[in-house]
PDB file of all heavy atoms in Angstrom:
ATOM      1  N   VAL S 200     -27.667  -1.940 -20.924  1.00 97.00           N
ATOM      2  CA  VAL S 200     -26.829  -1.468 -19.819  1.00 97.00           C
ATOM      3  C   VAL S 200     -26.986   0.045 -19.617  1.00 97.00           C
ATOM      4  O   VAL S 200     -27.012   0.526 -18.486  1.00 97.00           O
ATOM      5  CB  VAL S 200     -25.340  -1.830 -20.066  1.00 97.00           C
ATOM      6  CG1 VAL S 200     -24.434  -1.181 -19.021  1.00 97.00           C
ATOM      7  CG2 VAL S 200     -25.163  -3.344 -20.052  1.00 97.00           C
ATOM      8  N   THR S 201     -27.113   0.795 -20.721  1.00 98.00           N
ATOM      9  CA  THR S 201     -27.078   2.261 -20.591  1.00 98.00           C
ATOM     10  C   THR S 201     -28.377   2.946 -21.025  1.00 98.00           C
ATOM     11  O   THR S 201     -28.554   4.123 -20.756  1.00 98.00           O
ATOM     12  CB  THR S 201     -25.944   2.847 -21.470  1.00 98.00           C
ATOM     13  OG1 THR S 201     -26.269   2.628 -22.851  1.00 98.00           O
ATOM     14  CG2 THR S 201     -24.609   2.207 -21.169  1.00 98.00           C
ATOM     15  N   GLY S 202     -29.272   2.225 -21.708  1.00 98.00           N
ATOM     16  CA  GLY S 202     -30.400   2.854 -22.384  1.00 98.00           C
ATOM     17  C   GLY S 202     -31.523   3.316 -21.460  1.00 98.00           C
ATOM     18  O   GLY S 202     -31.540   3.038 -20.258  1.00 98.00           O
ATOM     19  N   GLY S 203     -32.444   4.044 -22.052  1.00 98.00           N
ATOM     20  CA  GLY S 203     -33.524   4.685 -21.307  1.00 98.00           C
ATOM     21  C   GLY S 203     -34.365   3.710 -20.482  1.00 98.00           C
ATOM     22  O   GLY S 203     -34.726   4.014 -19.341  1.00 98.00           O
ATOM     23  N   LYS S 204     -34.666   2.536 -21.033  1.00 98.00           N
ATOM     24  CA  LYS S 204     -35.537   1.612 -20.302  1.00 98.00           C
ATOM     25  C   LYS S 204     -34.895   1.089 -19.024  1.00 98.00           C
ATOM     26  O   LYS S 204     -35.547   0.999 -17.994  1.00 98.00           O
ATOM     27  CB  LYS S 204     -35.927   0.442 -21.203  1.00 98.00           C
ATOM     28  CG  LYS S 204     -37.160   0.706 -22.042  1.00 98.00           C
ATOM     29  CD  LYS S 204     -37.512  -0.525 -22.850  1.00 98.00           C
ATOM     30  CE  LYS S 204     -38.736  -0.267 -23.722  1.00 98.00           C
ATOM     31  NZ  LYS S 204     -38.789  -1.256 -24.813  1.00 98.00           N
ATOM     32  N   ILE S 205     -33.606   0.725 -19.113  1.00 98.00           N
ATOM     33  CA  ILE S 205     -32.973   0.191 -17.896  1.00 98.00           C
ATOM     34  C   ILE S 205     -32.773   1.321 -16.882  1.00 98.00           C
ATOM     35  O   ILE S 205     -32.929   1.135 -15.672  1.00 98.00           O
ATOM     36  CB  ILE S 205     -31.658  -0.577 -18.210  1.00 98.00           C
ATOM     37  CG1 ILE S 205     -31.192  -1.350 -16.981  1.00 98.00           C
ATOM     38  CG2 ILE S 205     -30.540   0.346 -18.671  1.00 98.00           C
ATOM     39  CD1 ILE S 205     -32.109  -2.483 -16.583  1.00 98.00           C
ATOM     40  N   ARG S 206     -32.477   2.526 -17.371  1.00 98.00           N
ATOM     41  CA  ARG S 206     -32.315   3.677 -16.457  1.00 98.00           C
ATOM     42  C   ARG S 206     -33.639   4.007 -15.780  1.00 98.00           C
ATOM     43  O   ARG S 206     -33.679   4.389 -14.622  1.00 98.00           O
ATOM     44  CB  ARG S 206     -31.790   4.894 -17.221  1.00 98.00           C
ATOM     45  CG  ARG S 206     -30.389   4.720 -17.776  1.00 98.00           C
ATOM     46  CD  ARG S 206     -29.350   4.574 -16.677  1.00 98.00           C
ATOM     47  NE  ARG S 206     -28.345   3.596 -17.049  1.00 98.00           N
ATOM     48  CZ  ARG S 206     -27.668   2.846 -16.182  1.00 98.00           C
ATOM     49  NH1 ARG S 206     -27.869   2.975 -14.897  1.00 98.00           N
ATOM     50  NH2 ARG S 206     -26.786   1.977 -16.587  1.00 98.00           N
ATOM     51  N   ARG S 207     -34.734   3.828 -16.518  1.00 98.00           N
ATOM     52  CA  ARG S 207     -36.055   4.067 -15.915  1.00 98.00           C
ATOM     53  C   ARG S 207     -36.375   2.967 -14.913  1.00 98.00           C
ATOM     54  O   ARG S 207     -36.905   3.227 -13.832  1.00 98.00           O
ATOM     55  CB  ARG S 207     -37.119   4.129 -17.020  1.00 98.00           C
ATOM     56  CG  ARG S 207     -38.544   4.319 -16.506  1.00 98.00           C
ATOM     57  CD  ARG S 207     -38.756   5.715 -15.944  1.00 98.00           C
ATOM     58  NE  ARG S 207     -39.993   5.804 -15.145  1.00 98.00           N
ATOM     59  CZ  ARG S 207     -40.020   5.829 -13.814  1.00 98.00           C
ATOM     60  NH1 ARG S 207     -38.896   5.767 -13.102  1.00 98.00           N
ATOM     61  NH2 ARG S 207     -41.163   5.916 -13.172  1.00 98.00           N
ATOM     62  N   THR S 208     -36.005   1.728 -15.256  1.00 97.00           N
ATOM     63  CA  THR S 208     -36.245   0.607 -14.349  1.00 97.00           C
ATOM     64  C   THR S 208     -35.533   0.824 -13.016  1.00 97.00           C
ATOM     65  O   THR S 208     -36.076   0.540 -11.950  1.00 97.00           O
ATOM     66  CB  THR S 208     -35.738  -0.711 -14.984  1.00 97.00           C
ATOM     67  OG1 THR S 208     -36.332  -0.856 -16.270  1.00 97.00           O
ATOM     68  CG2 THR S 208     -36.081  -1.898 -14.123  1.00 97.00           C
ATOM     69  N   LEU S 209     -34.312   1.371 -13.095  1.00 96.00           N
ATOM     70  CA  LEU S 209     -33.515   1.597 -11.887  1.00 96.00           C
ATOM     71  C   LEU S 209     -33.916   2.884 -11.166  1.00 96.00           C
ATOM     72  O   LEU S 209     -33.372   3.203 -10.116  1.00 96.00           O
ATOM     73  CB  LEU S 209     -32.025   1.642 -12.239  1.00 96.00           C
ATOM     74  CG  LEU S 209     -31.413   0.292 -12.643  1.00 96.00           C
ATOM     75  CD1 LEU S 209     -30.076   0.476 -13.329  1.00 96.00           C
ATOM     76  CD2 LEU S 209     -31.259  -0.602 -11.410  1.00 96.00           C
ATOM     77  N   GLY S 210     -34.828   3.636 -11.763  1.00 95.00           N
ATOM     78  CA  GLY S 210     -35.285   4.868 -11.110  1.00 95.00           C
ATOM     79  C   GLY S 210     -34.397   6.066 -11.373  1.00 95.00           C
ATOM     80  O   GLY S 210     -34.632   7.153 -10.842  1.00 95.00           O
ATOM     81  N   GLU S 211     -33.349   5.892 -12.178  1.00 97.00           N
ATOM     82  CA  GLU S 211     -32.449   7.012 -12.451  1.00 97.00           C
ATOM     83  C   GLU S 211     -33.095   7.994 -13.413  1.00 97.00           C
ATOM     84  O   GLU S 211     -32.960   9.202 -13.273  1.00 97.00           O
ATOM     85  CB  GLU S 211     -31.140   6.496 -13.027  1.00 97.00           C
ATOM     86  CG  GLU S 211     -30.408   5.620 -12.040  1.00 97.00           C
ATOM     87  CD  GLU S 211     -29.227   4.932 -12.670  1.00 97.00           C
ATOM     88  OE1 GLU S 211     -29.084   4.982 -13.904  1.00 97.00           O
ATOM     89  OE2 GLU S 211     -28.458   4.352 -11.912  1.00 97.00           O
ATOM     90  N   ALA S 212     -33.764   7.449 -14.433  1.00 98.00           N
ATOM     91  CA  ALA S 212     -34.628   8.290 -15.252  1.00 98.00           C
ATOM     92  C   ALA S 212     -35.961   8.344 -14.521  1.00 98.00           C
ATOM     93  O   ALA S 212     -36.474   7.315 -14.079  1.00 98.00           O
ATOM     94  CB  ALA S 212     -34.799   7.704 -16.643  1.00 98.00           C
ATOM     95  N   THR S 213     -36.499   9.549 -14.369  1.00 97.00           N
ATOM     96  CA  THR S 213     -37.775   9.685 -13.662  1.00 97.00           C
ATOM     97  C   THR S 213     -38.947   9.543 -14.615  1.00 97.00           C
ATOM     98  O   THR S 213     -40.064   9.293 -14.189  1.00 97.00           O
ATOM     99  CB  THR S 213     -37.843  11.038 -12.935  1.00 97.00           C
ATOM    100  OG1 THR S 213     -37.513  12.064 -13.887  1.00 97.00           O
ATOM    101  CG2 THR S 213     -36.859  11.089 -11.792  1.00 97.00           C
ATOM    102  N   HIS S 214     -38.683   9.731 -15.927  1.00 98.00           N
ATOM    103  CA  HIS S 214     -39.730   9.609 -16.930  1.00 98.00           C
ATOM    104  C   HIS S 214     -39.152   8.947 -18.173  1.00 98.00           C
ATOM    105  O   HIS S 214     -38.022   9.252 -18.561  1.00 98.00           O
ATOM    106  CB  HIS S 214     -40.275  10.980 -17.349  1.00 98.00           C
ATOM    107  CG  HIS S 214     -40.790  11.807 -16.203  1.00 98.00           C
ATOM    108  ND1 HIS S 214     -39.952  12.386 -15.269  1.00 98.00           N
ATOM    109  CD2 HIS S 214     -42.054  12.142 -15.847  1.00 98.00           C
ATOM    110  CE1 HIS S 214     -40.684  13.035 -14.386  1.00 98.00           C
ATOM    111  NE2 HIS S 214     -41.959  12.909 -14.708  1.00 98.00           N
ATOM    112  N   LEU S 215     -39.943   8.067 -18.783  1.00 98.00           N
ATOM    113  CA  LEU S 215     -39.551   7.498 -20.071  1.00 98.00           C
ATOM    114  C   LEU S 215     -40.610   7.899 -21.089  1.00 98.00           C
ATOM    115  O   LEU S 215     -41.804   7.644 -20.883  1.00 98.00           O
ATOM    116  CB  LEU S 215     -39.463   5.971 -19.985  1.00 98.00           C
ATOM    117  CG  LEU S 215     -38.894   5.306 -21.253  1.00 98.00           C
ATOM    118  CD1 LEU S 215     -37.383   5.485 -21.326  1.00 98.00           C
ATOM    119  CD2 LEU S 215     -39.247   3.816 -21.286  1.00 98.00           C
ATOM    120  N   VAL S 216     -40.168   8.545 -22.168  1.00 98.00           N
ATOM    121  CA  VAL S 216     -41.125   9.022 -23.184  1.00 98.00           C
ATOM    122  C   VAL S 216     -40.707   8.511 -24.558  1.00 98.00           C
ATOM    123  O   VAL S 216     -39.586   8.035 -24.751  1.00 98.00           O
ATOM    124  CB  VAL S 216     -41.202  10.571 -23.210  1.00 98.00           C
ATOM    125  CG1 VAL S 216     -41.640  11.109 -21.859  1.00 98.00           C
ATOM    126  CG2 VAL S 216     -39.869  11.191 -23.620  1.00 98.00           C
TER     127      VAL S 216
END
Side-chain angles (χ1 to χ4, degrees):
Chain S
V200 172
T201 67
K204 273 183 181 160
I205 192 67
R206 295 295 141 209
R207 178 70 195 104
T208 306
L209 289 164
E211 297 171 350
T213 51
H214 304 72
L215 187 76
V216 300

